[in-house]
Amino acid sequence: MFERLLTSIQNIFKIPELRTRILFTLGMLVVYRIGAHIPTPGINGEALSEFLQKQGGSLLGFLDIFSGGSLSRLTIFALGIMPYISASIIIQLLTVVVPHLTKLAKEGERGRKKIIQYTRFSTIGIALIQGFGIAVGLEQMNQGAFVLSAGWGFRLMTVITLTAGTGFLMWLGEQITERGIGNGISLIIFSGIVARLPSAVAQTFDLYKVGQLNIVMLVGLAALMVVVVAAIVFLESGRRKIPVQYAKRVIGRRVYGGQSTHIPLKINTAGVIPPIFASSIIAFPATIAGFFETPWIKEIGTQLSPGSVLYTLMYVGLILFFCFFYTAVVLNPVDMADNMKKYGGFIPGIRPGQRTSDYIYNVLTKITFAGSIYLAVVCVIPELLIYKLNVPFYFGGTSLLIVIGVGLDTAQQIESHMLMRNYEGFLGKGMAPLRGRNG
């Protein structure tokens, strides 16, 4: 197996186009990591970083994960790619309820380009608002201890710097998607999360050296990681296939249809959106409460901090809610049944029309429930390890889902390039092809 993997890696660099794409992707990610260490002008970086490290359970600490540590240092990429993700999700949700966007979504390539343009404009708008909020917040936190020279000059410089950083990252991600390998936006988030892995591993072994972790706990932690990663890979690739039969139709002298296919319904249709939304919503009041000295407000913040029973219950509940909500937005059983009926398709044993939509809805509800439970378990495991067992568990649930999901999608694209040019994939001949989240 190891020799086959080495052969596959060697074959990757034998394909000129694939080699160029991979090297381009790596080069762009290096540019991103260099920019993640360029500080924003007018900031006391050391004092701010020390303060934000104490806010690990707040919204700031949560967002710092996705910026690869840039937020805690307030570099030019402090906002990261989150404004783009927020804009994409908002536009996607509005596509369902706004007739103009719904029409664009059905116009093919022209409509897709227009929606992308709206997403870009929305990204800049969100970045401007967030940049201004950060500038004003820094001036007010700790009596302005983090700002070298407060005033509108500082605010304007901060807004321009952070917005330009997000705009550059958005462009960088699009360049990777077009000229590199994999989804550029996802790979930027991926690299930011993975960049913090070496320090986390070093911290874990430091705790082992000082006796806070024993060898049994280290082995148990490694075994748990292997099990969780295997479960995520299996379930992220999982599909519930609904068989569909198309009746034969004679049009002129040609016969159409008569074939069997299936509708692949993902176990986790919503991806990482539910835990991101759930964490953001719960962390927001905890962050606001951290800026007040009133006892009852601080108590609310404490109860909504990671590790508390209330936080865990709300976290799981919101993950379940957003799983069903997002799946309902993305997949419409009535439309699926109507399209199937229009082209002469039917599910064996199920009548076309209302019966078909009801059947798809029931299947979708069951697998969405299973997927939401899986997401909740993966996201709660780190909370239990960190706050109950005092284990420095590096990958949070959301981070682990992103890393594995992006890794699967990128590996699938690389394997597709290899198979197109008659090279074996990662698994060799006779093995099922690697399947990512969208495969």
Side-chain angles (χ1 to χ4, degrees):
M1 186 68 180
F2 184 70
E3 292 180 359
R4 182 177 294 167
L5 181 60
L6 285 178
T7 302
S8 298
I9 294 174
Q10 291 175 354
N11 289 338
I12 288 174
F13 291 94
K14 291 179 181 178
I15 305 173
E17 181 189 356
L18 183 56
R19 180 176 65 244
T20 301
R21 284 180 172 272
I22 291 177
L23 293 177
F24 178 83
T25 300
L26 293 176
M28 293 298 99
L29 293 179
V30 169
V31 171
Y32 162 60
R33 291 312 303 164
I34 292 175
H37 291 83
I38 301 176
T40 300
I43 298 294
N44 185 346
E46 293 183 3
L48 179 62
S49 179
E50 183 179 349
F51 172 79
L52 290 181
Q53 285 179 359
K54 300 176 182 178
Q55 302 288 323
S58 69
L59 183 60
L60 299 175
F62 171 73
L63 295 177
D64 192 41
I65 295 175
F66 295 94
S67 66
S70 296
L71 181 59
S72 61
R73 300 186 297 268
L74 205 74
T75 69
I76 59 175
F77 294 155
L79 293 180
I81 208 67
M82 285 302 289
Y84 180 84
I85 295 174
S86 302
S88 299
I89 294 173
I90 291 171
I91 295 297
Q92 189 174 17
L93 295 177
L94 289 177
T95 302
V96 182
V97 297
V98 178
H100 175 64
L101 293 177
T102 304
K103 183 180 178 181
L104 285 176
K106 297 178 180 179
E107 289 185 358
E109 185 65 19
R110 175 183 170 277
R112 188 184 70 85
K113 289 182 177 179
K114 200 70 176 176
I115 289 177
I116 291 176
Q117 189 176 11
Y118 290 154
T119 303
R120 291 170 180 165
F121 290 145
S122 301
T123 300
I124 298 302
I126 293 173
L128 287 170
I129 295 172
Q130 291 182 347
F132 182 76
I134 288 177
V136 174
L138 288 173
E139 289 181 337
Q140 296 177 353
M141 283 192 300
N142 284 22
Q143 286 106 28
F146 308 131
V147 178
L148 300 181
S149 180
W152 280 103
F154 165 75
R155 296 172 189 173
L156 185 60
M157 176 62 72
T158 301
V159 170
I160 293 175
T161 301
L162 297 184
T163 303
T166 294
F168 179 76
L169 284 183
M170 180 171 58
W171 175 84
L172 201 69
E174 292 177 352
Q175 292 300 306
I176 293 175
T177 302
E178 181 180 349
R179 302 171 59 186
I181 195 79
N183 182 285
I185 301 298
S186 299
L187 283 171
I188 287 174
I189 301 175
F190 172 90
S191 63
I193 296 173
V194 172
R196 305 176 70 177
L197 178 60
S199 61
V201 173
Q203 180 186 0
T204 303
F205 279 100
D206 288 342
L207 292 176
Y208 169 71
K209 291 178 181 178
V210 299
Q212 293 188 25
L213 289 178
N214 55 46
I215 187 64
V216 175
M217 187 169 289
L218 278 179
V219 173
L221 182 61
L224 179 63
M225 278 293 297
V226 171
V227 172
V228 171
V229 169
I232 293 176
V233 171
F234 176 76
L235 291 170
E236 287 295 317
S237 304
R239 304 288 187 276
R240 168 66 162 87
K241 297 179 180 179
I242 298 179
V244 178
Q245 181 71 39
Y246 285 91
K248 290 185 178 180
R249 295 181 297 165
V250 179
I251 302 178
R253 295 185 177 182
R254 295 187 177 184
V255 179
Y256 295 89
Q259 61 183 7
S260 298
T261 183
H262 63 269
I263 302 174
L265 298 178
K266 295 176 60 177
I267 294 177
N268 178 26
T269 302
V272 297
I273 289 177
I276 289 177
F277 273 24
S279 299
S280 301
I281 290 175
I282 300 176
F284 183 75
T287 301
I288 299 301
F291 298 139
F292 293 89
E293 298 298 330
T294 308
W296 67 271
I297 295 181
K298 293 186 74 67
E299 179 62 24
I300 292 176
T302 302
Q303 292 300 321
L304 292 177
S305 297
S308 68
V309 176
L310 179 61
Y311 173 89
T312 303
L313 292 176
M314 289 184 63
Y315 191 34
V316 171
L318 286 172
I319 287 176
L320 297 179
F321 169 76
F322 282 118
C323 277
F324 281 94
F325 176 78
Y326 188 81
T327 301
V329 169
V330 174
L331 298 177
N332 188 333
V334 176
D335 289 345
M336 295 171 69
D338 290 343
N339 290 332
M340 198 184 305
K341 185 178 180 181
K342 184 190 301 183
Y343 294 101
F346 62 92
I347 299 174
I350 307 294
R351 286 192 177 200
Q354 182 65 37
R355 292 285 184 88
T356 298
S357 64
D358 290 343
Y359 176 80
I360 295 175
Y361 175 79
N362 291 332
V363 172
L364 197 58
T365 300
K366 292 177 182 178
I367 64 173
T368 301
F369 178 74
S372 63
I373 295 298
Y374 140 70
L375 271 184
V377 170
V378 170
C379 292
V380 167
I381 284 177
E383 305 292 333
L384 298 177
L385 289 173
I386 293 172
Y387 298 103
K388 301 303 180 184
L389 300 179
N390 296 319
V391 174
F393 195 77
Y394 167 65
F395 283 120
T398 308
S399 303
L400 188 58
L401 288 168
I402 291 174
V403 168
I404 294 176
V406 174
L408 284 173
D409 292 343
T410 305
Q412 182 193 27
Q413 286 200 29
I414 293 174
E415 185 170 45
S416 297
H417 277 275
M418 296 172 66
L419 293 176
M420 285 172 56
R421 292 161 179 80
N422 298 320
Y423 283 94
E424 290 185 16
F426 290 109
L427 299 179
K429 294 181 179 179
M431 302 293 288
L434 200 61
R435 184 166 61 186
R437 294 175 298 181
N438 301 320

